[in-house]
Amino acid sequence: MLYVKAPAKINLTLDVLYKRPDNFHEVEMVMTTVDLADRISLESREDGEIQIISTDNFVPNDHRNFAYQAARLIKDTYGIRQGVSITIEKEIPIAAGLAGGSSDAAATLKGLNELWDLGLSIDELAELGAKIGSDVSFCVYGGTALATGRGEKIKELPAPPNCWVVLAKPKIGVSTAEVYGGLKVEGLEHPNTKQMIQAIETKDYELLCSSLGNVLETVTFKLHPEVVMLKEQMKRFGADATLMSGSGPTVFGLVDSEARVSRIYNGLRGFCEEVYAVRILGERNTLA
């Protein structure tokens, strides 16, 4: 049995530049991992089957599951006859904009690389991950990075300034496809990605807070007004800066004072069940 952690990510910036001929959007995102993670257990099977077991009934246990797709891709690409049982202990909320499914896939790729002694480099695993989903390559590397293309081109960045992150997910699911489908690229107010990178490189917390931006908020806020309310409440309770992660609906707040974390956490728990207080991880993962 092999165990691998699958950490969540947040978007410090998410910009959409244009729609590509392949119908994907050209994006520019600064992402970082946080200390909220699923736990993946992998055990080889002799019957060649891929089995998904999850602690959460909402996680699909078939080909729709990204971890299943990762195992199938490894098996097909490298002619592996063994099967695998994949147990997913969920901590990351589902359909939350935190890349839970993508991180599970990345952890599965890294774990199977070790379990089946394939000897693949982290770059090779990230290349495989790009075939599964746009965030999987980033999740293979972890840490902090600028992601471009459709999200699969990864440039490593240093860890951001140390701070707390309070995450809150309202009781709704958001369709990423619907959000991107409703996005009008013309007239968008684009986040300053270069300024965000500068804030990270110089460890300037105030500049980082003022550089947060996510163009998908414009769509998700119209579809789900409760996300706007959650963001406003988080700011009112004392977060230094707030932003929706990914296509939502999770909102996060950055806080540099531990004393304020519990006040924000407790305030949000009053009307939102899924609230987490975590730290930014910031550093790249090692292989498995």
Side-chain angles (χ1 to χ4, degrees):
M1 185 80 76
L2 184 74
Y3 299 96
V4 192
K5 277 181 81 170
K9 65 84 187 167
I10 55 171
N11 290 86
L12 299 175
T13 65
L14 195 163
D15 198 6
V16 177
L17 306 179
Y18 55 87
K19 192 160 187 185
R20 300 162 22 148
D22 61 6
N23 277 331
F24 284 101
H25 287 82
E26 185 72 18
V27 298
E28 192 174 66
M29 308 182 285
V30 176
M31 298 188 282
T32 192
T33 43
V34 296
D35 193 17
L36 173 69
D38 293 344
R39 189 172 189 241
I40 310 295
S41 313
L42 304 165
E43 188 172 17
S44 267
R45 300 167 60 99
E46 295 308 314
D47 59 7
E49 296 296 313
I50 299 168
Q51 179 190 35
I52 301 286
I53 305 150
S54 176
T55 55
D56 191 311
N57 294 333
F58 290 104
V59 173
N61 63 358
D62 54 20
H63 66 276
R64 294 169 297 166
N65 186 292
F66 276 11
Y68 181 100
Q69 292 176 32
R72 173 56 59 199
L73 183 60
I74 288 261
K75 275 175 63 64
D76 291 350
T77 305
Y78 298 101
I80 305 296
R81 299 179 72 173
Q82 286 172 293
V84 63
S85 291
I86 304 169
T87 303
I88 304 171
E89 295 176 50
K90 287 299 291 181
E91 293 293 336
I92 303 170
I94 295 165
L98 299 173
S102 296
S103 195
D104 293 347
T108 300
L109 290 172
K110 291 192 290 180
L112 290 179
N113 184 41
E114 185 176 333
L115 190 69
W116 291 338
D117 200 22
L118 299 174
L120 301 171
S121 70
I122 198 156
D123 293 335
E124 288 171 311
L125 292 172
E127 203 173 309
L128 282 170
K131 297 177 181 179
I132 302 166
S134 298
D135 285 336
V136 180
S137 295
F138 168 76
C139 292
V140 167
Y141 291 115
T144 308
L146 171 68
T148 55
R150 58 180 178 83
E152 85 287 4
K153 295 175 184 172
I154 307 298
K155 182 185 176 187
E156 185 180 7
L157 294 172
N162 280 330
C163 64
W164 287 88
V165 182
V166 180
L167 300 159
K169 179 189 178 284
K171 235 181 179 175
I172 53 171
V174 169
S175 161
T176 300
E178 185 182 6
V179 172
Y180 272 99
L183 185 70
K184 291 178 172 58
V185 179
E186 305 78 23
L188 279 177
E189 189 177 328
H190 298 280
N192 191 333
T193 307
K194 282 184 181 173
Q195 187 173 285
M196 174 57 76
I197 293 169
Q198 181 192 342
I200 289 169
E201 289 176 341
T202 58
K203 297 282 191 284
D204 187 330
Y205 177 70
E206 287 183 9
L207 185 62
L208 183 141
C209 286
S210 64
S211 304
L212 294 178
N214 181 348
V215 297
L216 298 185
E217 284 186 337
T218 57
V219 183
T220 304
F221 285 0
K222 283 178 189 167
L223 294 171
H224 303 285
E226 57 267 60
V227 181
V228 188
M229 288 173 55
L230 184 56
K231 193 176 173 186
E232 288 169 354
Q233 290 281 22
M234 194 176 279
K235 191 76 176 164
R236 192 167 64 81
F237 288 134
D240 294 320
T242 60
L243 193 71
M244 183 183 81
S245 186
S247 54
T250 300
V251 172
F252 68 86
L254 301 182
V255 194
D256 69 350
S257 156
E258 191 172 351
R260 268 184 291 137
V261 171
S262 57
R263 187 170 83 225
I264 298 166
Y265 177 88
N266 291 331
L268 292 170
R269 285 282 294 170
F271 59 92
C272 190
E273 280 180 27
E274 293 187 274
V275 185
Y276 309 85
V278 297
R279 301 303 296 260
I280 284 180
L281 290 176
E283 301 289 351
R284 267 201 173 184
N285 298 326
T286 55
L287 276 176

